[in-house]
Amino acid sequence: MAGAWKFPERFLWGTATSPTQVEGHVANEWTDYIASDGGHCRVACNHYHRYEEDVDWMAQLGVNAYRMGIEWSRLQSAPFAPLNERELERYIHLLDCLKASGITPMVVLHHFSNPLWITSAGGWLNPATVPAFVDYVAKLVSALKERVWLWNTFNEPDTYASLTYLLGGFPPFHKWRLLSYRNTIKHMAEAHVRVNEVIRRAGNGGRMPEIGIAKNWTFFGAFQKHALWDRLVAGISHHAFNHFVLDAFLGGQRRAASTFLGVNYYGLARFKNFEPMVPAGGACPKQLAQLGVVCDDMFERHPGGLGTILRNFHRRYGLPLYVTEHGAASSDEDFRIRDLTRHLDELHGALNSGVDVRGFFYWSLLDNFEWQFGYSKKFGLLAVDFSNEKLPRQMTRVGEFYRGVCRTRKTPVAVQDFPVAAR
Ligand code: BGC
């Protein structure tokens, strides 16, 4: 690769999925949910039955890491119940397949879904969910500790709590329940601290396990600089989604419960007359393009923000960092490749300036069930044809590009042809 950035030898180049989005055959609060495109998660990519084939695809991609979730609802049928042996064996086999392909797992313990008995008891609003989760994790960790050393307790607690209790996007679809948002975060942060003790106690052979969360980081701003009301909304959003959540998980003594911090980074949301100017918030992509807002099918792109936030987290917390998710949804593969190149440029810049980043996980391995949006958002390194009941996977050009990165540990230096968001 001429004109390329070289990355460290031990860097983890990975990809990521979550159980409800890819596995299929789950019984949780998403099972009966019908997304805006009419889709549901009952079969999804059928990764549940096809994980061996999907691990082969990962090997073809040349990734050396996989951020995977384990679905609580499969493993426990009631609070404090023993784990379901058959389901546990399946996850163990998946971990063994990964190992045989030289792929390091990062296991996510909670990714937007709960067993139905947790949901019906009030979900994360109920303080009793904390000891129930700790019990589940203790049993799981004791079963998997020889195979897993990278544990990610909660994926985007901010997204989960806001979409369930503020924005009405996730079951139980409540809106503007500020106290519920706050209590959900509080209980998850408490569970993180307690689970950290469990994981440390269990260990990983001779090795010290790593523990962290994946924090979604979105930059918020006003589309028109003089619009004080939009600046106010941006400021409140920043406080509620970024500050408050980071403080709950990493403030004061609680920082000691994490050995790393994961960052899920997609970009920027700017407000215009109180409305977020992003496709994920309902804005029309054509109109956004006319206004010069560069978006994928979800968010405004802001590659420079990745470098900014990595430097900022490094300074503020001094913890090793992983980019636990980054990707773009678009049917324009050239756009996705350019977008990825620009973000890898930023990642390299951060590493070069001394930020301790240990890995990058592309979201996502497969086109999958994108929650409220169903199957309409194409994030996959592998495309999945959902109109064919065999759900065939096919390598995308983005996947081929990423394969080059994983295999050579080099990325092409980005040409500055990617319009940068005016901030
Ligand atoms: C979530 C994923 C989701 C992705 C793309 C992240 O916020 O963790 O579940 O699919 O963003 O929207």
Side-chain angles (χ1 to χ4, degrees):
M1 234 181 255
W5 296 127
K6 180 87 178 127
F7 282 76
E9 270 308 305
R10 287 153 62 97
F11 198 76
L12 292 185
W13 288 109
T15 183
T17 63
S18 86
T20 305
Q21 294 182 271
V22 297
E23 285 183 350
H25 319 282
V26 280
N28 63 28
E29 71 266 65
W30 288 95
T31 311
D32 293 329
Y33 174 83
I34 304 296
S36 56
D37 68 348
H40 55 69
C41 66
R42 287 175 218 146
V43 179
C45 307
N46 202 8
H47 181 70
Y48 183 72
H49 291 115
R50 300 190 38 188
Y51 62 89
E52 287 175 78
E53 177 189 342
D54 290 336
V55 173
D56 287 346
W57 279 108
M58 284 184 238
Q60 279 187 51
L61 276 166
V63 296
N64 62 8
Y66 177 42
R67 203 201 96 163
M68 54 175 271
I70 291 193
E71 176 62 24
W72 185 7
S73 62
R74 287 193 196 288
L75 290 165
Q76 258 186 337
S77 54
F80 307 99
L83 300 190
N84 179 315
E85 283 295 327
R86 204 170 62 93
E87 298 295 346
L88 189 59
E89 278 309 316
R90 187 193 147 276
Y91 281 118
I92 288 177
H93 187 234
L94 165 55
L95 290 166
D96 288 344
C97 294
L98 291 169
K99 186 169 184 202
S101 296
I103 299 172
T104 298
M106 172 186 275
V107 168
V108 179
L109 297 168
H110 186 275
H111 192 135
F112 302 171
S113 63
N114 301 292
L116 293 170
W117 46 269
I118 285 286
T119 310
S120 61
W124 285 89
L125 291 184
N126 184 347
T129 295
V130 177
F133 184 71
V134 176
D135 167 77
Y136 158 65
V137 175
K139 288 171 176 150
L140 187 70
V141 168
S142 139
L144 304 184
K145 64 181 180 194
E146 300 304 326
R147 292 172 170 86
V148 181
W149 57 270
L150 256 177
W151 297 95
N152 189 325
T153 55
F154 288 94
N155 175 70
E156 302 190 359
D158 43 305
T159 306
Y160 174 76
S162 61
L163 281 159
T164 46
Y165 295 115
L166 296 181
L167 305 171
F170 284 6
F173 312 107
H174 292 311
K175 283 193 174 175
W176 305 118
R177 302 210 180 164
L178 284 171
L179 203 62
S180 303
Y181 174 77
R182 178 184 159 274
N183 287 340
T184 300
I185 296 293
K186 211 179 107 210
H187 291 146
M188 287 183 154
E190 193 183 322
H192 173 73
V193 172
R194 290 183 53 187
V195 157
N196 142 72
E197 286 157 16
V198 167
I199 296 176
R200 280 178 204 236
R201 227 177 296 127
N204 165 261
R207 179 176 191 153
M208 165 77 173
E210 288 192 26
I211 305 142
I213 60 163
K215 170 73 185 82
N216 169 271
W217 184 273
T218 301
F219 287 92
F220 297 100
F223 186 70
Q224 288 148 322
K225 288 219 166 75
H226 63 268
L228 290 181
W229 51 95
D230 286 330
R231 289 171 69 163
L232 185 68
V233 178
I236 293 171
S237 307
H238 174 66
H239 182 82
F241 301 132
N242 294 333
H243 254 298
F244 170 69
V245 177
L246 283 164
D247 197 49
F249 279 84
L250 294 168
Q253 307 257 318
R254 265 166 278 156
R255 180 192 166 284
S258 297
T259 67
F260 74 86
L261 176 58
V263 190
N264 291 0
Y265 182 72
Y266 291 92
L268 167 68
R270 286 188 289 164
F271 292 93
K272 190 168 179 229
N273 299 326
F274 302 108
E275 296 296 334
M277 305 263 291
V278 292
C284 163
K286 257 199 188 144
Q287 282 172 11
L288 291 174
Q290 280 162 7
L291 291 169
V293 181
V294 181
C295 293
D296 72 340
D297 292 346
M298 297 289 282
F299 275 92
E300 181 169 2
R301 311 315 277 180
H302 179 36
L306 180 61
T308 306
I309 198 57
L310 291 173
R311 286 188 187 86
N312 179 317
F313 280 169
H314 175 69
R315 264 197 314 273
R316 201 165 350 144
Y317 300 110
L319 286 168
L321 304 171
Y322 290 88
V323 178
T324 34
E325 282 185 27
H326 173 73
S330 173
S331 50
D332 180 347
E333 292 211 48
D334 291 324
F335 171 86
R336 289 179 67 199
I337 292 171
R338 271 201 318 276
D339 176 80
L340 178 55
T341 310
R342 282 287 288 116
H343 284 84
L344 293 177
D345 232 13
E346 288 292 327
L347 172 64
H348 186 266
L351 275 162
N352 242 7
S353 59
V355 179
D356 182 6
V357 193
R358 307 234 170 131
F360 176 92
F361 293 82
Y362 189 88
W363 186 269
S364 178
L365 173 67
L366 300 159
D367 286 342
N368 61 40
F369 175 72
E370 177 57 33
W371 312 110
Q372 317 94 296
F373 306 105
Y375 295 92
S376 53
K377 312 285 181 187
K378 306 296 182 191
F379 276 102
L381 293 170
L382 302 172
V384 179
D385 180 358
F386 293 101
S387 67
N388 179 337
E389 63 177 23
K390 293 199 172 114
L391 299 168
R393 281 75 163 136
Q394 199 184 0
M395 185 68 78
T396 60
R397 283 198 297 113
V398 187
E400 275 160 19
F401 173 83
Y402 194 54
R403 172 164 57 194
V405 174
C406 297
R407 289 204 170 153
T408 60
R409 305 186 161 274
K410 287 182 190 162
T411 73
V413 175
V415 275
Q416 301 296 317
D417 62 351
F418 197 96
V420 176
R423 300 217 52 227

